[in-house]
Amino acid sequence: IVYLPYQVSVMALFERLAAGIPVFAPSLDLLVEWHMRFGLVFERRADWQTAGQRRGSLVGPHPNASAALRDHDPNDERDPAAVRYWLGLSDIYNTP
């Protein structure tokens, strides 16, 4: 199965892996490129249905937030570095 995720965690991925079905996915770089060009992982952010062209989160990071959160807004669809950082934490790239 070639896996093109529409969000960062899909139960079907684990069901296929548990059944022993080989799963192939694009490299992280390719997924970021497709997401930036075509919006492939359209459910990446919680407010994807209402966000429109808004850039980033409605609320800023907590004052004690890590550098990753300060530098990579998880809801910023226009920053390839932020998209890459958060997609890199998705199940497809972190499941053994």
Side-chain angles (χ1 to χ4, degrees), residues 26-63:
S27 69
L28 180 56
D29 290 334
L30 185 56
L31 184 61
V32 170
E33 179 185 337
W34 285 349
H35 180 70
M36 298 306 295
R37 290 178 66 193
F38 308 114
L40 183 67
V41 191
F42 59 91
E43 287 188 20
R44 192 181 74 82
R45 54 191 285 180
D47 62 349
W48 68 275
Q49 291 178 315
T50 59
Q53 294 299 315
R54 185 178 69 242
R55 181 176 185 143
S57 299
L58 291 173
V59 178
H62 188 275

Side-chain angles (χ1 to χ4, degrees), residues 1 6 10 13 20-21 29 51 57-59 62 64 68 71 75 84 87-88:
I1 291 188
Y6 62 92
V10 179
L13 169 68
I21 299 171
D29 290 334
S57 299
L58 291 173
V59 178
H62 188 275
N64 297 333
D71 297 340
N75 293 309
R84 186 179 203 296
L87 285 180

